[in-house]
Amino acid sequence: MAVKQKVLLLGATGETGASILNGLQESGNFDVEVLVRPASADKPSVQKLREQGLTIWPVDLDDFNGLVSAMTGTDIFISAIGPNDLLQQKKLLQAAKIAGVKRVIPCAFTTVAAPTGAMLLRDEKEEVYNAIKYLGIPYTVIDVGYWYQISFPTLPSGKVDYAQMVPVKTIHGDGAAPNILTDLRDIGRYVARIILDDRTINRYVYTAGDVLSENEIYQIAEEISGEKLEPSRVSNEDVEASVKQAKAALAESPHDNMKRIGVFVAQYEHSKYVRVDNSPRYADYLGYLNARELYPDFQPTSFRDFFAEVLAGKGRKVYS
Amino acid sequence: MAVKQKVLLLGATGETGASILNGLQESGNFDVEVLVRPASADKPSVQKLREQGLTIWPVDLDDFNGLVSAMTGTDIFISAIGPNDLLQQKKLLQAAKIAGVKRVIPCAFTTVAAPTGAMLLRDEKEEVYNAIKYLGIPYTVIDVGYWYQISFPTLPSGKVDYAQMVPVKTIHGDGAAPNILTDLRDIGRYVARIILDDRTINRYVYTAGDVLSENEIYQIAEEISGEKLEPSRVSNEDVEASVKQAKAALAESPHDNMKRIGVFVAQYEHSKYVRVDNSPRYADYLGYLNARELYPDFQPTSFRDFFAEVLAGKGRKVYS
């Protein structure tokens, strides 16, 4: 029987982290332990993990010695830290190096985008990837594109409103930009494969359940629902203006995390639809491996099946 | 007969650029044109190129339309710009994109090092590589390690002084750090291969005539010269102190290029000997292809043969 790999997971109670935890547990190949901030140690979501029998490490992310202790004996450290705390990973990575962690998975788990200049969110991730390369520790960057769960259109009947974080009623530009999409629930399943794979060491990998344009997404939604959708059109110029506006708002209040999220949202649209970053073509250009090609036997959920589930009332609103 | 690739070369009169020009001409596979700043257009070194029949494009690096004109019809743009002008490549790259250049070779041509944080020189190169990736244009980064021409030790007899830019009389740390080294004259020969190779598109490649530690270099020099060398020892702490000192001097006069060069020199030593960045192992980690493996039929000059030439009086002092 193969020895289980010991994984230390940060961010296990977030959307991505929960998917990862689930995927690792489902695979049966890992002993998972969970790193939490002391302030979160008694939250009900963490309590639930404890009740599952998971070892919880409450450690302040500034407590270097505590981090080294938590990492000691860890084979793989996975960070699914929140988007406003990305740079806090630097200390974690130094601790991983000291502790001899065999592979680190920094918080990527987003769309494919230019390393710098296209998205503030990605710029900070790049800073972390460069910190890893400076340290010279083995790593894998795993991007997942955009989630199905925030990519499906609102229906006139209101039938899918219950599962939408925000309404989706627009098409950007000509609606033809291909986008890498993954079902949030499949992220962990892919991660469980990728982190055991020698081919992915020191590489960037993207997962994709489907690659679809907005036009294709709306068409699938019409076919399955039988409803007629009439999305409004957003021009590339409008998207660029939104980015400019969001940046100006953040410049006025640089420490306002809601303003940062505003920039993230506007830049996602710009990167996905105007630059067409989040596409297999640009991922290839940047040297990403394609998880679909690495694991041809793994069948991720298709967007079509996902949307049918949502229409059947089996969806879930993310971040709720 | 294969159609020759049109290459536009910037920096053709510098040490690296001259090697590249020579390598491209030697291969016979290229039509080379040369981009120069208007201020350099009448220098004797440029006049010499003109006399060889090369087309010279005198264009200001801020003149976007002029750059696009010079690049139009170019298959491959190669930049061997000086270390203090690296960021000026950004406009050149935008022009290359507009002109439809098929591959750009930014000014790398240095040691393998961490993408950021280890060397100021490398940090600026990284900014340029990221500008390329933002534009999405095909590229190849070619690093060459350190030159033989500035890596051989001074002999007590003074026999090789004529070919040394600065004396080399020290060994850093335990002298065992392996370093990627290339004969300056072989850079262009490698470039002529690499830029025609589909395998190197959107990749990083390193060339190496030899991979040697300082201990090995001193041993070879002793064997060939029959002289006894007694290098002084520089500790890692000394190297770190030199970096600190050079940085402080630059901080006092941030626009003094000599102070910048001082930082470059100190950080080269730190990166090569303390961090051991300029090694095949770290190059592999960073995802570099190895030109020796790509072109097994190409025999670069060995360090041993190079040093024997220098000892025989056939060397040349670089930057002279």
Side-chain angles (χ1 to χ4, degrees):
Chain A
M1 204 179 99
V3 176
K4 289 190 179 184
Q5 295 284 295
K6 189 178 150 194
V7 172
L8 184 69
L9 174 62
L10 170 65
T13 61
E15 292 285 354
T16 295
S19 174
I20 293 170
L21 178 57
N22 186 59
L24 298 182
Q25 290 177 321
E26 213 175 78
S27 85
N29 292 323
F30 305 93
D31 279 328
V32 186
E33 303 191 347
V34 170
L35 186 66
V36 300
R37 292 180 181 81
S40 307
D42 296 322
K43 283 189 183 167
S45 55
V46 174
Q47 195 49 42
K48 225 169 117 184
L49 299 179
R50 208 175 266 118
E51 283 160 15
Q52 284 181 39
L54 288 166
T55 300
I56 309 292
W57 290 86
V59 183
D60 194 290
L61 301 189
D62 278 328
D63 171 10
F64 190 71
N65 292 334
L67 293 174
V68 172
S69 295
M71 300 250 190
T72 299
T74 292
D75 296 300
I76 304 160
F77 168 63
I78 304 177
S79 168
I81 201 167
N84 287 315
D85 299 325
L86 290 168
L87 299 182
Q88 291 195 40
Q89 292 176 96
K90 289 186 180 182
K91 194 163 274 184
L92 284 155
L93 295 164
Q94 287 165 353
K97 175 157 184 169
I98 297 295
V101 170
K102 301 199 188 84
R103 176 171 352 197
V104 297
I105 316 294
C107 188
F109 306 116
T110 185
T111 53
V112 172
T116 61
M119 304 210 308
L120 173 58
L121 180 70
R122 183 65 184 77
D123 292 353
E124 292 194 350
K125 288 178 192 271
E126 184 70 9
E127 199 174 324
V128 174
Y129 305 160
N130 280 338
I132 291 173
K133 292 170 189 172
Y134 183 89
L135 293 168
I137 46 180
Y139 70 90
T140 306
V141 167
I142 304 173
D143 277 317
V144 300
Y146 220 62
W147 301 341
Y148 290 171
Q149 279 76 2
I150 47 177
S151 299
F152 63 91
T154 303
L155 297 180
S157 64
K159 281 185 187 165
V160 298
D161 291 0
Y162 78 97
Q164 284 195 311
M165 189 174 66
V166 289
V168 174
K169 298 178 170 181
T170 53
I171 282 186
H172 302 79
D174 63 3
N179 264 279
I180 294 167
L181 303 168
T182 300
D183 189 315
L184 174 56
R185 298 166 299 178
D186 282 335
I187 293 175
R189 296 179 184 122
Y190 269 122
V191 168
R193 301 273 189 128
I194 292 166
I195 65 176
L196 284 185
D197 188 340
D198 285 343
R199 295 173 298 176
T200 64
I201 272 275
N202 306 331
R203 298 298 301 263
Y204 291 51
V205 187
Y206 74 93
T207 71
D210 261 318
V211 177
L212 295 170
S213 68
E214 287 181 298
N215 291 337
E216 289 168 325
I217 285 176
Y218 276 81
Q219 197 186 328
I220 290 169
E222 286 193 340
E223 280 170 24
I224 299 183
S225 69
E227 299 185 36
K228 175 80 191 142
L229 302 183
E230 281 169 0
S232 58
R233 297 275 164 178
V234 178
S235 71
N236 287 352
E237 293 69 29
D238 290 341
V239 175
E240 278 156 13
S242 297
V243 170
K244 214 170 158 181
Q245 201 177 350
K247 278 184 172 174
L250 178 61
E252 270 181 34
S253 325
H255 301 294
D256 182 338
N257 277 346
M258 287 312 294
K259 296 281 192 295
R260 272 170 62 86
I261 300 288
V263 172
F264 294 168
V265 169
Q267 289 185 323
Y268 264 127
E269 302 208 331
H270 187 257
S271 175
K272 291 196 299 174
Y273 303 123
V274 180
R275 287 184 44 83
V276 198
D277 278 344
N278 184 42
S279 61
R281 185 189 168 123
Y282 192 60
D284 287 349
Y285 169 78
L286 292 175
Y288 278 76
L289 300 173
N290 176 351
R292 285 299 285 272
E293 288 173 7
L294 294 175
Y295 316 109
D297 62 306
F298 175 64
Q299 278 302 319
T301 308
S302 68
F303 179 78
R304 185 176 286 273
D305 288 349
F306 161 80
F307 190 71
E309 274 188 71
V310 174
L311 199 62
K314 296 181 213 148
R316 178 181 70 82
K317 191 186 292 190
V318 293
Y319 295 119
S320 64
Chain B
M1 202 180 98
V3 176
K4 289 190 180 185
Q5 296 283 298
K6 189 178 151 196
V7 172
L8 184 69
L9 174 62
L10 170 65
T13 61
E15 291 286 352
T16 295
S19 174
I20 293 170
L21 178 58
N22 187 59
L24 298 182
Q25 290 177 322
E26 212 176 79
S27 85
N29 292 322
F30 306 94
D31 278 328
V32 186
E33 303 191 347
V34 170
L35 185 66
V36 300
R37 292 180 182 80
S40 307
D42 295 321
K43 283 190 181 167
S45 55
V46 174
Q47 195 50 40
K48 226 169 117 183
L49 300 179
R50 207 176 267 119
E51 284 160 14
Q52 283 181 39
L54 288 166
T55 300
I56 310 291
W57 291 86
V59 183
D60 194 289
L61 300 190
D62 278 328
D63 171 9
F64 190 71
N65 292 334
L67 293 174
V68 172
S69 295
M71 299 250 190
T72 299
T74 292
D75 295 301
I76 303 160
F77 168 64
I78 304 178
S79 169
I81 201 167
N84 287 315
D85 299 326
L86 290 168
L87 299 182
Q88 291 195 40
Q89 292 176 96
K90 289 186 180 183
K91 194 164 274 182
L92 285 155
L93 294 164
Q94 286 164 353
K97 175 157 183 166
I98 297 294
V101 170
K102 300 200 188 82
R103 176 170 353 195
V104 297
I105 316 294
C107 187
F109 306 116
T110 186
T111 54
V112 172
T116 62
M119 303 209 309
L120 173 58
L121 181 71
R122 183 65 183 79
D123 293 353
E124 291 193 350
K125 288 177 192 270
E126 184 69 9
E127 199 174 323
V128 174
Y129 306 161
N130 280 338
I132 291 172
K133 292 171 190 171
Y134 184 89
L135 293 169
I137 47 181
Y139 70 91
T140 306
V141 167
I142 304 172
D143 277 317
V144 300
Y146 220 61
W147 301 342
Y148 290 171
Q149 279 76 1
I150 47 177
S151 300
F152 63 91
T154 304
L155 296 180
S157 64
K159 282 185 187 166
V160 298
D161 292 359
Y162 78 97
Q164 284 196 311
M165 189 172 67
V166 289
V168 174
K169 298 178 169 180
T170 52
I171 283 186
H172 302 79
D174 63 3
N179 264 280
I180 295 167
L181 303 168
T182 300
D183 189 315
L184 174 57
R185 299 166 298 177
D186 282 334
I187 292 175
R189 296 179 184 122
Y190 269 122
V191 168
R193 299 272 188 129
I194 292 167
I195 65 176
L196 284 185
D197 189 340
D198 284 344
R199 295 172 298 177
T200 63
I201 271 276
N202 306 330
R203 297 298 301 263
Y204 291 52
V205 187
Y206 74 93
T207 72
D210 260 319
V211 176
L212 295 170
S213 68
E214 287 181 299
N215 290 339
E216 290 167 325
I217 285 176
Y218 276 81
Q219 197 185 327
I220 290 169
E222 287 192 339
E223 280 170 25
I224 299 184
S225 69
E227 299 185 36
K228 175 79 191 144
L229 302 183
E230 281 168 0
S232 58
R233 297 274 164 179
V234 178
S235 70
N236 288 352
E237 292 69 30
D238 290 341
V239 175
E240 278 155 13
S242 297
V243 170
K244 214 171 157 181
Q245 201 177 349
K247 278 184 174 174
L250 179 60
E252 268 181 33
S253 325
H255 302 293
D256 182 338
N257 278 346
M258 287 313 293
K259 296 282 192 294
R260 272 170 62 87
I261 300 288
V263 172
F264 294 169
V265 169
Q267 288 185 324
Y268 264 126
E269 302 208 332
H270 188 257
S271 174
K272 290 196 299 175
Y273 303 123
V274 181
R275 288 184 44 83
V276 198
D277 279 344
N278 184 41
S279 61
R281 187 191 167 123
Y282 192 60
D284 287 349
Y285 168 79
L286 292 176
Y288 278 75
L289 300 173
N290 176 351
R292 285 300 284 273
E293 288 174 7
L294 293 175
Y295 317 109
D297 62 306
F298 175 64
Q299 278 302 319
T301 309
S302 69
F303 179 78
R304 184 174 287 271
D305 288 349
F306 161 80
F307 189 71
E309 275 188 72
V310 174
L311 200 61
K314 297 180 211 149
R316 178 181 70 83
K317 190 186 293 191
V318 293
Y319 296 118
S320 65

